Amino acid sequence: MPKELWKGNEAIAEAAVRAGLEAYFGYPITPQTEVLEYLSRRMPELGRAFVQAESELGAINMVYGAACTGVRVMSSSSSPGVSLMMEGISYIAGTEVPAVLVNVMRGGPGLGNIAPAQADYNQAVHGGGHGDYQAIVLAPASVQEAIDLTVLSFDLAEKYRSICMVILDGCVGQMMEPAEMPEMKPVHRENWDWNTDAKMGKRERRILSSIYLDPVEEEKMNLRLLNRWRTIEANEVRYKEYFLDDAEIVIIGFGTAGRVALSAVREARAQGIKVGLLRPITVSPFPHKVIDQLAGRVDAFLVTEMNSGQMLEDVRLAVKGRVPVEFYGRMGGVVPFPDEILNEIHRMAKVKLSADVHPRDAWLERMAHV
Amino acid sequence: MQKEIIISGFGGQGVLFAGQVIAYAAMDSGKQVTWIPSYGPEMRGGTANCTVVIADQEIGSPLVKNPPLVIALNLPSYDKYEPMMQVGGTLVVNQSMVDRGAKRADINTVFVSANEIAEQIGDKKLTNMVAVGALLAALPEVTIETLEEALKAHLPARHQHLLPKNYEALRRGFESAKEQLAVIV
């Protein structure tokens, strides 16, 4: 297919359609509304289900119901809206049905603003809903990646009967880039052994629920989820490397923070500083192993995020104190410029770094001018 | 090669579309490109801007702090971006909407009476295309022919009859800027 200029949000919507999306339920919120708007036109055109629900709570429970029937189903929202969906997300996890959820993150907490942010990392990666569950979380940094990862999210969700979240910030949602759409895939319903359908009396009854009143049974379910997660961790980690071969300093950043860092890395390289970039594509499962390996041969890490250092803690777990891990973040909807990250690279290349101070505390002191 | 462009003006002046046309032309010439709008809670009459980045390789930051190329379609945009420009950059100013000269001598400021030129061609809405034409005089990576092709290829069918006037707007803007840049250089 030839490349077309696609807006991130609309690209996600069309990619979902081409991946066989049969039902979409959502509620408008900036900077995500174009997903809903696009599908409100596109889905009925194809005879598929589109509902603008009365609320996010309504939307996620419609997703839950549709997921139980085994069709490809999706919702999308932005930070405050995703918070409202958390109860439903936990129920979907507890029922072990596949669903795709897109979060085009904005500044927070609370109502915040509509500018790009990455402050829902912890909510997406480390829970959000109650109970022991983990979601697969993909973090595109470009429109093409948003398309590819949306398609992938349906496959992963089904393969592991899991929630698959695509988290991006308002930048990726609102920007236009040349991108290639996949071929239209015909709607295809797998012959699952778990979904509810209209075959009453023709086979043994199937029950889908997140209720396990017997704690021993619930624990068995928890173990099943955990073992499944180990398989996901072993098979589904994805990331992109830039200039890592001879890197002495490695920047780690996802989504827009990652691509802004790429500009800084190129500039630093042009100045002769050996710096590279690791951009996680799956932030859950997290690329622990590659960071663990890098920690054995590089001098220092710099984590850049559009939040207060949420992924930073996961990087620190992987580095295990072997080399300094520094942090640079912007919050509240502020997108860093490359020169800010370049300044950090210059600082790291010049001064002796200490592992005694927590990187967030040191960064806070450097942020005193804001 | 990487070039960053900011286009700024009042909502309704065609700021976002001007950026998209450049993005289409860059894409059709096989370049990498990003287009990103300011998307605050703006309304008609408020300010709007977009950033276009054109490059040969994977684009990092879609936003730029010190742009080398700017189109300012109104005075607030002129005031905002003039101090932010990269030394040696080119700033296209819509002279019809500003009442002052350049404050900086280390950038090329090109004044184009975009409103008047558009009105002479017969459609006030062509202001943005006059300014885009002027910018192309400082952006050799995108030729005026490529941009015309892009307009033709991506303008919806119901607007195709406007193509000749759009071409004229581009050329008038381009000529006006080329004359001024020739004097500067």
Side-chain angles (χ1 to χ4, degrees):
Chain A
M1 291 233 164
K3 284 196 171 178
E4 274 298 325
L5 203 58
W6 280 97
K7 187 172 208 174
N9 282 339
E10 294 181 344
I12 284 174
E14 179 62 25
V17 165
R18 294 190 183 205
L21 178 71
E22 273 198 83
Y24 173 92
F25 309 97
Y27 190 78
I29 181 169
T30 309
Q32 161 284 151
T33 301
E34 292 90 351
V35 180
L36 178 114
E37 187 188 11
Y38 186 94
L39 290 172
S40 72
R41 188 176 61 244
R42 190 79 167 108
M43 294 292 274
E45 207 175 85
L46 296 163
R48 305 184 191 179
F50 169 92
V51 179
Q52 179 177 321
E54 77 280 14
S55 67
E56 284 86 352
L57 198 63
I60 195 67
N61 282 292
M62 290 175 192
V63 168
Y64 183 18
C68 289
T69 70
V71 302
R72 291 199 153 187
V73 58
M74 176 174 100
S75 185
S76 60
S77 190
S78 177
S79 310
V82 175
S83 289
L84 287 166
M85 293 182 175
M86 278 302 154
E87 182 198 40
I89 290 172
S90 174
Y91 277 58
I92 291 169
T95 309
E96 299 168 76
V97 288
V100 169
L101 185 65
V102 177
N103 181 0
V104 187
M105 298 180 282
R106 59 186 242 181
L111 204 53
N113 57 42
I114 60 174
Q118 299 181 323
D120 306 344
Y121 175 92
N122 275 342
Q123 184 192 57
V125 171
H126 296 298
H130 60 279
D132 263 321
Y133 77 94
Q134 268 158 308
I136 299 167
V137 185
L138 310 173
S142 67
V143 174
Q144 185 65 60
E145 232 172 51
I147 292 168
D148 298 343
L149 295 182
T150 299
V151 173
L152 177 69
S153 67
F154 287 98
D155 296 336
L156 293 180
E158 279 179 355
K159 186 173 176 187
Y160 298 106
R161 292 179 63 174
S162 168
I163 290 166
C164 191
M165 279 181 87
V166 180
I167 60 167
L168 50 147
D169 55 79
C171 266
V172 183
Q174 294 294 324
M175 74 163 60
M176 290 179 93
E177 285 184 314
E180 197 179 341
M181 276 290 159
E183 295 285 340
M184 186 79 162
K185 213 166 145 180
V187 167
H188 170 70
R189 290 187 195 174
E190 286 288 332
N191 214 355
W192 306 115
D193 59 1
W194 51 263
N195 67 304
T196 58
D197 48 30
K199 290 190 179 136
M200 199 168 72
K202 289 179 192 153
R203 54 156 171 71
E204 209 179 319
R205 201 157 65 120
R206 289 173 184 171
I207 298 173
L208 287 165
S209 165
S210 69
I211 304 172
Y212 295 84
L213 285 177
D214 180 354
V216 175
E217 288 305 310
E218 180 76 296
E219 189 181 49
K220 275 187 198 160
M221 182 271 182
N222 278 209
L223 284 168
R224 187 166 64 236
L225 283 187
L226 210 51
N227 281 319
R228 194 179 294 157
W229 186 252
R230 286 173 64 178
T231 313
I232 294 171
E233 278 186 316
N235 296 321
E236 305 299 347
V237 171
R238 289 169 172 82
Y239 52 84
K240 196 164 173 186
E241 302 178 7
Y242 303 82
F243 310 105
L244 284 186
D245 288 346
D246 62 343
E248 290 164 1
I249 297 171
V250 171
I251 303 186
I252 304 179
F254 67 96
T256 294
R259 64 183 289 169
V260 172
L262 175 61
S263 295
V265 166
R266 286 208 188 107
E267 223 164 313
R269 279 271 165 186
Q271 296 166 5
I273 304 171
K274 287 184 176 166
V275 53
L277 170 68
L278 179 78
R279 186 165 61 75
I281 290 171
T282 52
V283 282
S284 175
F286 191 70
H288 281 282
K289 205 192 256 173
V290 65
I291 296 171
D292 180 55
Q293 287 161 358
L294 284 168
R297 66 172 169 90
V298 305
D299 296 340
F301 290 93
L302 171 66
V303 177
T304 61
E305 297 178 77
M306 280 145 64
N307 62 44
S308 66
Q310 299 187 12
M311 183 181 70
L312 169 66
E313 301 300 344
D314 288 318
V315 172
R316 279 162 57 86
L317 275 176
V319 174
K320 299 190 214 58
R322 282 168 287 174
V323 292
V325 178
E326 296 281 300
F327 175 69
Y328 185 77
R330 296 304 302 258
M331 299 175 290
V334 179
V335 181
F337 285 110
D339 66 328
E340 298 169 53
I341 296 165
L342 187 63
N343 285 343
E344 293 292 313
I345 297 170
H346 286 160
R347 183 180 61 78
M348 289 175 68
K350 231 182 295 169
V351 303
K352 187 161 163 45
L353 301 167
S354 155
D356 297 341
V357 186
H358 192 288
R360 186 182 295 107
D361 293 339
W363 161 71
L364 259 177
E365 277 181 27
R366 297 198 301 280
M367 286 290 283
H369 66 279
V370 175
Chain B
M1 183 281 298
Q2 178 164 316
K3 291 280 172 77
E4 302 96 358
I5 306 152
I6 291 179
I7 304 171
S8 182
F10 290 128
Q13 280 186 305
V15 165
L16 301 184
F17 183 69
Q20 284 177 9
V21 170
I22 297 171
Y24 276 121
M27 176 180 81
D28 293 347
S29 344
K31 302 264 191 290
Q32 304 277 332
V33 64
T34 61
W35 171 96
I36 188 165
S38 59
Y39 65 91
E42 284 131 353
M43 55 185 110
R44 191 168 57 178
T47 58
N49 71 69
C50 65
T51 305
V52 178
V53 181
I54 301 170
D56 289 325
Q57 54 182 355
E58 182 180 346
I59 295 171
S61 177
L63 297 169
V64 59
K65 194 185 211 168
N66 304 115
L69 296 166
V70 169
I71 295 175
L73 288 177
N74 63 5
L75 185 60
S77 307
Y78 186 20
D79 290 342
K80 180 178 177 185
Y81 290 106
E82 187 183 34
M84 289 161 74
M85 291 210 44
Q86 244 175 55
V87 174
T90 299
L91 170 58
V92 174
V93 177
N94 178 11
Q95 195 164 22
S96 317
M97 300 286 284
V98 305
D99 55 5
R100 68 166 178 87
K103 285 182 185 163
R104 282 181 64 176
D106 59 352
I107 58 171
N108 305 317
T109 308
V110 172
F111 293 96
V112 182
S113 301
N115 288 24
E116 282 79 5
I117 294 174
E119 277 164 26
Q120 282 163 18
I121 298 167
D123 192 341
K124 213 177 154 185
K125 281 184 284 199
L126 292 168
T127 306
N128 57 349
M129 287 301 118
V130 176
V132 168
L135 184 83
L136 292 190
L139 182 66
E141 289 80 4
V142 178
T143 64
I144 204 155
E145 289 77 19
T146 325
L147 204 114
E148 287 177 353
E149 284 301 311
L151 262 177
K152 196 173 168 186
H154 303 285
L155 212 61
R158 65 181 191 281
H159 290 145
Q160 288 281 332
H161 68 282
L162 298 170
L163 278 174
K165 283 187 173 177
N166 275 273
Y167 295 165
E168 195 185 340
L170 286 169
R171 302 237 168 214
R172 291 278 302 271
F174 185 80
E175 292 307 325
S176 173
K178 220 171 92 180
E179 281 166 28
Q180 294 179 53
L181 285 169
V183 175
I184 293 166
V185 176

